[in-house]
Amino acid sequence: MRALSIRLEQCLFGYEDGHRLLTSTIPLESEAAALTEVSDVAPGTVFGQSEGYWTGLPVPGIGRYALLRTWPAPEMPRPGCVWTHAILLEPAVLQNLSDLRILRSLFVRPDSPSDRGRYREALERSLPLVVGVDDRKEFDPALVIALLKALYTASDTPVVVAKPGELDEPLFAVWSQQWPRLRRNMRFQTAATREPRSQGGARFDITATLMNSSERRASVGRSQGPWLNAAAADAREQKESDLRRFLWSYGADVRRQRGSFRPLVDIKLL
């Protein structure tokens, strides 16, 4: 199996007289404040039985994309504390990995408040370019539809989930479908909250709101149009297809990135 050898910078955020950056392998410069903000617990987050949530956003000040994993930290002295491990991806990583779920294996929760040594050095890894069949997980197809609508239509509403963690698998499937420039500008956070969020300093294309199963089914609805059915089927397949090759080929040249996704799928269907 082909693999990608990479060096990845990383940092760790957590509680120390307040939520703060604890260690980083590179200077974060002007991006330190923004990353510290998104690494803190999202207001109203419900962790439930999930092991945490994901955040992704570009950090242009250091020329990288930040992927963050946040876990609850009940062992800390103040309620509501979290650990957040961030990995800072260079553009080549998002260009060369077919399936971005591979990145999730790189994230490690600290074992204790003193466990910081492993985050002080860059990661040297050899990653497979695709995920093996045995590592793929099933997820609700309706969530793929909801994600595609949120990204590529006029809808700006949160994606409704029935339980914390439910959005993780479909989110990575839809993110992997995107061509590299779209990937580098994707802004998401999968924390499940009970109320829609007010817009703070960090603005996301994708967020999640927690509702019970019947409320979620009513809000998701059905797909609308051939482009949505085709894009959803491709995302669920989670492998290279004619549609994905077409999107990656022609998406590289369009001026309007997210605004071109639906027209490109329509053109391919013709």
Side-chain angles (χ1 to χ4, degrees), residues 7 20 144 150 164 183 186 194 199 207 217 267 269-270:
R7 173 187 170 92
R20 64 182 68 244
V144 175
R183 289 177 169 187
M186 177 85 147
R194 294 201 181 277
Q199 290 288 358
T207 57
R217 284 193 297 270
I267 291 170
L269 294 178
L270 292 175

Side-chain angles (χ1 to χ4, degrees), residues 87-147:
I87 292 180
L88 307 172
L89 306 170
E90 294 186 343
V93 177
L94 297 179
Q95 172 81 36
N96 291 311
L97 286 179
S98 299
D99 195 328
L100 298 176
R101 290 175 301 167
I102 293 166
L103 296 169
R104 299 187 302 192
S105 64
L106 302 173
F107 290 81
V108 179
R109 185 192 188 279
D111 293 327
S112 69
S114 61
D115 181 18
R116 302 184 188 181
R118 73 178 87 190
Y119 306 98
R120 293 190 176 116
E121 296 182 359
L123 299 173
E124 302 279 353
R125 293 289 189 273
S126 181
L127 298 176
L129 297 182
V130 295
V131 170
V133 175
D134 294 339
D135 296 324
R136 296 178 180 175
K137 297 180 181 179
E138 296 296 324
F139 52 81
D140 188 345
L143 286 174
V144 175
I145 295 289
L147 284 163

Side-chain angles (χ1 to χ4, degrees), residues 160-208:
V160 176
V161 296
K163 60 184 178 180
E166 188 179 36
L167 194 60
D168 295 356
E169 287 292 329
L171 184 283
F172 273 84
V174 169
W175 191 27
S176 296
Q177 181 184 56
Q178 295 179 333
W179 56 84
R181 189 174 168 191
L182 259 186
R183 289 177 169 187
R184 296 196 302 268
N185 288 285
M186 177 85 147
R187 303 176 64 90
F188 63 84
Q189 191 169 75
T190 66
T193 62
R194 294 201 181 277
E195 299 292 337
R197 305 185 200 181
S198 59
Q199 290 288 358
R203 305 177 71 88
F204 296 107
D205 306 318
I206 295 295
T207 57

Side-chain angles (χ1 to χ4, degrees), residues 15 17-19 40-41 73-82:
Y15 182 80
D17 294 327
H19 184 80
D40 202 355
V41 62
E75 69 272 26
M76 302 304 286
R78 183 175 67 85
C81 291
V82 293

Side-chain angles (χ1 to χ4, degrees), residues 140-162:
D140 188 345
L143 286 174
V144 175
I145 295 289
L147 284 163
L148 292 170
K149 287 182 179 179
L151 286 169
Y152 307 124
T153 70
S155 171
D156 60 355
T157 58
V159 177
V160 176
V161 296

